[in-house]
Amino acid sequence: EIVMTQSPATLSVSPGERATLSCRASQSVTSNLAWYQQKPGQAPRLLIYDASTRATGIPARFSGSGSGTEFTLTISSLQSEDFAIYYCQQYNNWPPWTFGQGTKVEIK
Amino acid sequence: EVQLLESGGGLVQPGGSLTLSCAASGFTFSNYAMGWVRQAPGKGLEWVSTISLSGGTTYYTDSVKGRFTISRDNSKNTLYLQMNSLRGDDTAVYYCAKDFIFRGVQGIVDSWGRGTLVTVAS
């Protein structure tokens, strides 16, 4: 089973600033990595797939990069609606499909 | 617009059974793999089970193998999760999940239901 590890657990950022979230896989997942956003009381929403492709309707301030075992989600200029928990997920070696434990982006 | 509407959650005693349903609309259900993802209170996301387009192939996380059964009725556009021998650590919100890829199994979830809460307690 591939273990996904996200860092940091919590990221405190001021509105308008850049946020950089990391995700590491225990073995290579090539580019088969997705990012999801989850707000309190809501279902997750797909942001990025194939490590760097934005899903339909996702603003350009969200970008993904990386391959192999190291991945990054960058939010270029945080808006109020971006404060949420972000999860990475690998779909390279399955089953199981595995998620990271999440990074909470909070207002500084 | 894709819509996934879960139902069937509730309070059940340890060792009991429950069946979740997910009514799908807004897309051709039979063209997509479907699955369930759960989230324990205050915890992260955990993939539970996936079923192929026809229902002929199913996948389960180890902790539910032999206890949970995923199925689908393409004539009713409905996904199911039969849960038996429920335990306290099965307590979670269960989300219905639609796979992104057309006529395949990949694991990217591009649409989620709002979730249904299953509580296992005496």
Side-chain angles (χ1 to χ4, degrees), chain A:
Chain A
E1 172 178 327
I2 295 179
V3 177
M4 307 301 293
T5 303
Q6 292 185 240
S7 61
T10 303
L11 187 61
S12 299
V13 185
S14 299
E17 290 188 340
R18 174 187 296 258
T20 302
L21 290 66
S22 296
C23 175
R24 174 176 292 178
S26 61
Q27 65 188 77
S28 176
V29 298
T30 63
S31 295
N32 292 322
L33 183 107
W35 289 94
Y36 301 88
Q37 175 194 66
Q38 187 178 33
K39 298 179 182 179
Q42 296 186 18
R45 176 175 69 147
L46 177 65
L47 296 177
I48 300 282
Y49 62 94
D50 292 347
S52 61
T53 302
R54 279 189 301 277
T56 301
I58 301 303
R61 64 180 182 273
F62 291 93
S63 63
S65 63
S67 66
T69 62
E70 301 283 343
F71 300 88
T72 301
L73 175 69
T74 301
I75 311 171
S76 60
S77 176
L78 270 159
Q79 307 298 302
S80 58
E81 61 266 30
D82 301 335
F83 292 96
I85 299 176
Y86 293 83
Y87 295 94
C88 62
Q89 177 222 358
Q90 69 83 21
Y91 50 94
N92 191 66
N93 287 20
W94 50 266
W97 290 269
T98 48
F99 293 88
Q101 81 278 19
T103 290
K104 181 180 180 180
V105 177
E106 64 176 23
I107 300 174
K108 186 175 182 180

Side-chain angles (χ1 to χ4, degrees), chain B residues 54-77:
Chain B
S54 64
T57 304
T58 57
Y59 309 89
Y60 299 94
T61 191
D62 283 348
S63 64
V64 309
K65 281 180 184 175
R67 300 188 300 123
F68 289 12
T69 301
I70 190 171
S71 61
R72 65 191 295 163
D73 186 336
N74 286 345
S75 68
K76 295 182 178 180
N77 292 345

